[in-house]
Amino acid sequence: MEEKDLITKIQRLKAIKPRENWVSLTKEEIFPKESRVSIFEVLSNMFHAKPVFVFAVFGIMILTFGFAQSSLPGDALYNVKKITENTKISLSSEIKKPSAHLELANKRLEDLNKISETNKVKNLAPTIVAFQDSISKAAKDLNKLEKDGDAIKQIVSQTKKLEENKERIEALGIVIGETQELDNALAQLVEREINGLKDKTLTEEQEEILNQIQEDYEQGLYSKALESILFLSQ
């Protein structure tokens, strides 16, 4: 058979169409009706149910983080709150970290106040531990602090608040332990600032303020001394 005749016959075969009932039967055997519906439903679930699932998970996460913010050390959701707090500090600059840790220490003292009001005794020990941890981290960061007026201003604010909160908690009979590590770090900071002021030329009035700063330092009134140092530095 010549090539020309073969091509002609193939073209005739292409023009032949199968009977409609044969097509329908064959399609049914290969893809049963049940299978076709099932595949459609699977695809539908994949593309339509998935966003709903994502939104549901997202909503649960928002609710979890929301409830976690009011949790106390020792509660199930406190670890979620702790992650949020630690992330905030890790994103802070080195200059702001001491005051950020002092702020957390103040929050733990406020938590202790809530515990005393609600009588949640089981939360007492974990909250004291969390308080001491924040104090220790604040002290370490203070030892590395560079001279910065705004940073010292925040430290003064948080330290004064810390002293007030401590006094309130101790008045309730709650023993939170010593804060010697923080006191030592504040003492070094004040001493460094005093030495810096001594190298400057001061007026008679400024000399008197410096003498008062020295007395406050010797009495352990570090936040008061730092406040006066800020005044002289302006």
Side-chain angles (χ1 to χ4, degrees):
M1 183 181 294
E2 294 182 0
E3 184 177 352
K4 184 179 179 181
D5 294 334
L6 180 61
I7 291 171
T8 302
K9 288 187 177 183
I10 290 172
Q11 288 174 342
R12 287 176 183 173
L13 287 171
K14 286 173 66 178
I16 298 173
K17 294 183 179 180
R19 296 190 307 273
E20 288 185 6
N21 62 341
W22 180 85
V23 173
S24 180
L25 288 170
T26 305
K27 187 177 179 181
E28 189 67 28
E29 288 177 4
I30 298 173
F31 300 107
K33 188 176 181 180
E34 294 78 10
S35 298
R36 294 200 303 275
V37 173
S38 177
I39 291 169
F40 175 80
E41 288 177 349
V42 170
L43 291 173
S44 177
N45 288 336
M46 286 178 64
F47 291 101
H48 295 287
K50 189 175 180 180
V52 174
F53 174 75
V54 171
F55 279 119
V57 172
F58 188 65
I60 291 170
M61 287 176 63
I62 291 175
L63 286 172
T64 301
F65 275 97
F67 285 122
Q69 300 315 304
S70 59
S71 64
L72 299 169
D75 289 343
L77 290 177
Y78 176 69
N79 283 335
V80 177
K81 181 179 180 178
K82 191 175 179 180
I83 290 171
T84 306
E85 292 176 340
N86 288 342
T87 301
K88 182 180 177 182
I89 289 178
S90 65
L91 294 173
S92 301
S93 64
E94 292 300 316
I95 290 174
K96 292 182 179 180
K97 281 184 179 179
S99 60
H101 282 299
L102 287 172
E103 184 180 357
L104 278 190
N106 274 310
K107 286 183 178 179
R108 297 297 82 87
L109 291 179
E110 289 166 6
D111 287 341
L112 284 172
N113 193 54
K114 292 177 186 176
I115 289 168
S116 68
E117 290 175 352
T118 55
N119 199 29
K120 292 184 177 180
V121 180
K122 71 179 183 67
N123 298 100
L124 193 61
T127 305
I128 293 172
V129 170
F131 165 75
Q132 289 291 346
D133 180 60
S134 293
I135 288 293
S136 179
K137 288 176 179 176
K140 287 180 174 64
D141 287 332
L142 274 171
N143 290 327
K144 298 182 289 184
L145 181 68
E146 299 290 334
K147 184 177 178 64
D148 185 276
D150 289 336
I152 292 176
K153 190 174 182 179
Q154 289 298 318
I155 289 165
V156 169
S157 175
Q158 291 298 332
T159 304
K160 288 176 70 176
K161 188 176 178 181
L162 192 73
E163 291 168 356
E164 293 169 3
N165 282 331
K166 277 178 63 181
E167 189 176 342
R168 187 182 302 113
I169 292 302
E170 288 170 351
L172 295 171
I174 299 174
V175 179
I176 58 175
E178 296 294 327
T179 57
Q180 192 61 48
E181 192 175 0
L182 176 63
D183 291 341
N184 291 340
L186 287 170
Q188 289 178 21
L189 178 61
V190 173
E191 185 177 8
R192 186 186 71 187
E193 294 296 322
I194 288 173
N195 291 334
L197 288 170
K198 285 179 178 179
D199 293 335
K200 293 182 178 181
T201 302
L202 303 175
T203 64
E204 186 176 340
E205 183 182 357
Q206 289 173 328
E207 286 284 358
E208 290 179 5
I209 294 173
L210 181 57
N211 290 335
Q212 183 61 53
I213 291 170
Q214 186 72 44
E215 289 181 20
D216 291 336
Y217 165 71
E218 291 170 359
Q219 294 176 22
L221 303 174
Y222 305 123
S223 61
K224 186 180 177 182
L226 283 170
E227 199 167 16
S228 298
I229 287 168
L230 283 175
F231 176 77
L232 277 184
S233 300
Q234 290 175 352

